[in-house]
Amino acid sequence: MASVWVFSREVDNGPSTLSLELMTKARDLGEVAVIYVGVGSDAAFATLGEYGARKVFHFDPGDHLVAAPVAHALAEMAQVQAPDLILFGQAYDDRDVAGRLAARLGATVLSNAIDVGLEQGPATTSHEIFGGTQIAGAAFTGPGPYLVLVRPKSFAASPVGIAAPQVSKQKPAEVGRADARVIETHIEEREGPKLEDAAVIVSGGRGLGSPENYQLIEKLGKLLGAATGATRALVDAGWVPYAKQVGQTGKTVKPEVYIAAGVSGAMQHLVGMKDAKTIIAINKDPDAPIFAIADLGIVGDVHKVLPKLIEALENR
Amino acid sequence: MRVVVCAKQIPDPATEYKLEPDSHWLVRPGEQVLDDTDRYGVEMGLQLAQAAGGTVTLVSMGPTGTMQGIRQALAMGADKAIVVDDPELRGSDALLTARVLAAVISREGFDLVIAGTESTDGYSGVVPQMVAEFLDVPALTYATSVQVGDGSVTIHRQTNTGYEVVEASLPAVVSVTAGVVEPRYPTFKGIMEAKKKPVETHTLADLGIPAEIGQKVTTVTAAASRVAGAKIEDDGEAYLKIVELLAQRKVI
Ligand SMILES: Cc1cc2nc3c(=O)[nH]c(=O)nc-3n(C[C@H](O)[C@H](O)[C@H](O)COP(=O)(O)OP(=O)(O)OC[C@H]3O[C@@H](n4cnc5c(N)ncnc54)[C@H](O)[C@@H]3O)c2cc1C
Ligand SMILES: Nc1ncnc2c1ncn2[C@@H]1O[C@H](COP(=O)(O)O)[C@@H](O)[C@H]1O
């Protein structure tokens, strides 16, 4: 049976949702061991067991930046234990560890996969390209371990409920001059539901014109019990925090309803939201690419349409 | 301070990207532009080098062509460029790319390497971390601000819930997000000067690196596409259509 390792970064005292998705997939490919990075707890390890982990390698790097100490330790473990496949999520710490580990092992890493196969021979992957209009199939050509970064929501997480995993505490490596320290952590406050889990999302883009106008998005969001999102243009301009970014380098969302106001529909935004069940777009440019995937497209000015919509909902 | 900026030339994003028929490699025209992502890196590098006193060297891998993208970065103010162009690098993966960049950087010598968080055409998003590993230095990633002090570098590292302050000793690699600084536009003087700035070109053999690529694209197929619904011009009442659809979907 193939051996598959899954990287799991601790979020809110437990494994990230993304890593549970990966574990669900990994169960179909082989025997699952989880690399768990965080403080750790019996409850967290029990969750890993429920999603199919037989073994857990637990690292707690403390205030060291995760990448180098964990990647160096993993490289040694991988050379001895020779896993066939190591799955990571397309997420920040995951990318850092995968990149360093790949370089250390001299192994190729494939990014942005939406599916992974492991049958006879090297692993295979699928990737959305050109804004999700085409699917590229790729294959590794050399020997393993095969390192793959998988996009969020590529698989639906589901528990299997097997016995508690065997947990072994691993020592992060001493990395000398490659070390970096996390000296402060700042958490921004969030109102309303979490973007990744929300059933309804209202997102704004540069068409809002000014940071103050993002309030229209927030008002509408509140009325609909929705999470609020944004394009990278707004994040880069500092109007909203990165946590609100939807797209290739932000969150991947699959809500029931996604409302995009003043969003052009760039490829990198579409890959993060095109799987929403219903898409409503408001844009003054009739040729904006967002309309190509919208179930309802309003060619109009957000400054006119949004206030009227808000008023109508308030009066209901 | 010796600052190295990794910058890539890419096909103009305003044009339609195409793949070559058998290899499925991206078609790269002779005239490529500086990746917008890397304009932030170049600007950050210029600001830091100016503040600390130092030089900015560009390192780039890929078909040089007309060198337009490299000249763009030189016109912003970088001092020189080192380019690795070799037909054997076509279809390169992140690992080989990082190996090549790291080899050039370590030959050249560096205190700080700056890269983008992900390129526009490849977006593997792991090259800076790999370069850091090959150079045996820390990678301070996803920076929204960068400060260089006495022998150390401190960044704000973007996270899902806010940011972290991360610190390390130099030498180091930093990857910067778009928005870390406002990239300057080249001046006329800058553009003229860029034409005379040194550009070194190397092949893989010069670096002694074998052209090993550990992946291939096997198929490219059309994805199931969404069918667009009604598109209506706002006549002042279009919001009612939204209310109607929201009601249908039981959101309200
Ligand atoms: C490597 C890489 C990764 C990226 N990752 C992401 C990502 O994760 N998420 C993301 O969103 N982007 C990402 N981008 C950026 C992306 O390419 C686009 O630049 C961005 O999505 C554009 O944001 P926007 O739609 O707000 O702005 P614009 O493209 O400027 O669009 C603004 C729209 O508003 C419309 N408009 C203007 N005024 C009005 C008005 N009064 N009423 C109605 N409509 C109006 C305009 O017609 C236009 O269509 C990435 C880019 C790169 C290179
Ligand atoms: N061929 C290349 N030449 C120079 N720099 C590169 C190259 N590929 C990647 N980089 C650097 O690595 C960053 C991230 O790229 P990627 O990992 O390909 O998404 C880019 O923004 C560049 O700074």
Side-chain angles (χ1 to χ4, degrees):
Chain A
M1 198 176 190
S3 154
V4 182
W5 290 4
V6 175
F7 184 84
S8 177
R9 183 71 172 105
E10 188 169 86
V11 178
D12 295 336
N13 309 315
S16 67
T17 310
L18 177 50
S19 66
L20 301 180
E21 294 164 10
L22 301 185
M23 290 168 64
T24 305
K25 176 66 186 182
R27 292 194 314 248
D28 294 340
L29 302 174
E31 186 160 297
V32 182
V34 170
I35 304 149
Y36 188 78
V37 180
V39 176
S41 65
D42 288 344
F45 301 141
T47 306
L48 296 176
E50 275 167 36
Y51 283 80
R54 309 296 292 271
K55 281 191 208 152
V56 175
F57 308 125
H58 174 214
F59 289 93
D60 183 4
D63 66 350
H64 296 268
L65 191 63
V66 168
V70 172
H72 288 194
L74 283 177
E76 273 188 29
M77 290 165 61
Q79 269 152 359
V80 177
Q81 303 185 35
D84 298 285
L85 177 68
I86 310 181
L87 297 180
F88 295 85
Q90 195 76 34
Y92 280 177
D93 283 333
D94 295 54
R95 274 161 62 180
D96 285 6
V97 173
R100 292 199 86 110
L101 177 60
R104 206 156 172 92
L105 292 173
T108 291
V109 53
L110 284 168
S111 297
N112 290 296
I114 55 164
D115 201 2
V116 190
L118 186 63
E119 277 141 34
Q120 295 303 307
T124 56
T125 52
S126 308
H127 309 260
E128 287 179 334
I129 57 170
F130 302 152
T133 54
Q134 297 190 41
I135 308 285
F140 289 90
T141 52
Y146 304 112
L147 275 57
V148 182
L149 287 151
V150 181
R151 289 195 54 81
K153 295 205 164 50
S154 296
F155 312 111
S158 73
V160 276
I162 55 172
Q166 174 205 330
V167 181
S168 60
K169 181 100 186 210
Q170 303 289 328
K171 220 169 119 52
E174 299 284 339
V175 297
R177 70 172 200 161
D179 193 33
R181 295 291 179 119
V182 179
I183 54 180
E184 281 171 42
T185 301
H186 294 257
I187 301 199
E188 270 139 11
E189 275 178 49
R190 171 176 54 81
E191 272 182 57
K194 235 173 140 176
L195 198 48
E196 302 91 305
D197 309 330
V200 182
I201 294 173
V202 185
S203 269
R206 191 150 30 202
L208 290 171
S210 74
E212 296 73 49
N213 286 333
Y214 193 77
Q215 282 171 12
L216 293 170
I217 300 295
E218 283 167 345
K219 258 193 200 156
L220 182 57
K222 215 169 229 165
L223 285 164
L224 297 174
T228 52
T231 64
R232 194 174 89 174
L234 302 201
V235 175
D236 290 345
W239 296 8
V240 299
Y242 168 68
K244 290 199 186 290
Q245 182 175 318
V246 173
Q248 181 179 301
T249 48
K251 304 257 158 55
T252 302
V253 298
K254 288 190 180 174
E256 294 293 313
V257 175
Y258 189 91
I259 303 178
V263 172
S264 61
M267 280 190 324
Q268 295 91 350
H269 187 76
L270 298 188
V271 295
M273 47 63 75
K274 66 173 174 36
D275 294 326
K277 227 179 231 150
T278 299
I279 297 172
I280 301 173
I282 309 162
N283 194 305
K284 70 173 184 191
D285 172 9
D287 297 324
I290 189 80
F291 287 132
I293 64 159
D295 300 280
L296 173 61
I298 308 287
V299 182
D301 187 341
V302 287
H303 307 110
K304 298 198 176 117
V305 179
L306 287 180
K308 280 193 183 153
L309 178 59
I310 289 167
E311 198 189 320
L313 294 172
E314 278 171 346
N315 293 336
R316 274 174 75 94
Chain B
M1 187 168 66
R2 295 162 303 171
V3 179
V4 173
V5 178
C6 298
K8 194 176 181 185
Q9 296 194 111
I10 62 165
D12 187 343
T15 62
E16 194 188 338
Y17 278 23
K18 291 203 185 76
L19 301 177
E20 289 178 16
D22 296 320
S23 63
H24 307 296
W25 294 331
L26 187 62
V27 174
R28 295 190 180 274
E31 183 149 299
Q32 297 195 99
V33 299
L34 176 63
D35 189 343
D36 205 45
T37 300
D38 293 328
R39 286 173 58 229
Y40 299 92
V42 172
E43 179 64 42
M44 192 75 245
L46 291 171
Q47 290 187 13
L48 292 172
Q50 197 189 6
T55 54
V56 176
T57 301
L58 302 169
V59 174
S60 188
M61 187 196 98
T64 27
T66 63
M67 209 100 82
Q68 189 197 326
I70 302 292
R71 294 285 173 207
Q72 263 175 279
L74 290 170
M76 285 173 72
D79 298 290
K80 67 166 183 170
I82 308 175
V83 180
V84 184
D85 182 359
D86 194 312
E88 293 225 62
L89 283 168
R90 300 183 70 206
S92 171
D93 55 14
L95 183 69
L96 180 57
T97 303
R99 227 189 253 291
V100 166
L101 296 175
V104 173
I105 295 165
S106 78
R107 267 195 186 194
E108 183 65 15
F110 69 101
D111 298 300
L112 181 66
V113 176
I114 300 179
T117 50
E118 53 270 315
S119 60
T120 302
D121 59 344
Y123 55 94
S124 77
V126 290
V127 166
Q129 297 86 334
M130 289 177 146
V131 168
E133 181 59 36
F134 284 127
L135 296 173
D136 187 27
V137 298
L140 286 71
T141 40
Y142 324 112
T144 56
S145 84
V146 184
Q147 239 125 39
V148 170
D150 192 19
S152 71
V153 55
T154 308
I155 68 154
H156 283 191
R157 181 178 188 258
Q158 200 166 63
T159 66
N160 254 327
T161 47
Y163 69 95
E164 301 169 331
V165 182
V166 178
E167 192 176 73
S169 301
L170 292 176
V173 171
V174 170
S175 77
V176 295
T177 58
V180 67
V181 278
E182 190 54 48
R184 71 192 68 184
Y185 287 98
T187 59
F188 180 71
K189 184 162 163 271
I191 294 169
M192 295 314 287
E193 282 173 2
K195 294 187 174 148
K196 287 174 277 170
K197 285 181 175 168
V199 179
E200 270 175 47
T201 309
H202 294 289
T203 61
L204 271 184
D206 297 343
L207 301 170
I209 295 176
E212 287 166 1
I213 298 170
Q215 62 166 76
K216 59 172 193 254
V217 178
T218 48
T219 54
V220 175
T221 50
S225 63
R226 275 185 95 103
V227 183
K231 185 162 81 176
I232 56 171
E233 192 87 37
D234 181 30
D235 54 359
E237 304 283 292
Y239 73 95
L240 289 171
K241 292 281 181 216
I242 303 180
V243 175
E244 197 179 299
L245 185 57
L246 290 174
Q248 260 176 34
R249 295 291 184 271
K250 303 207 161 43
V251 174
I252 49 173

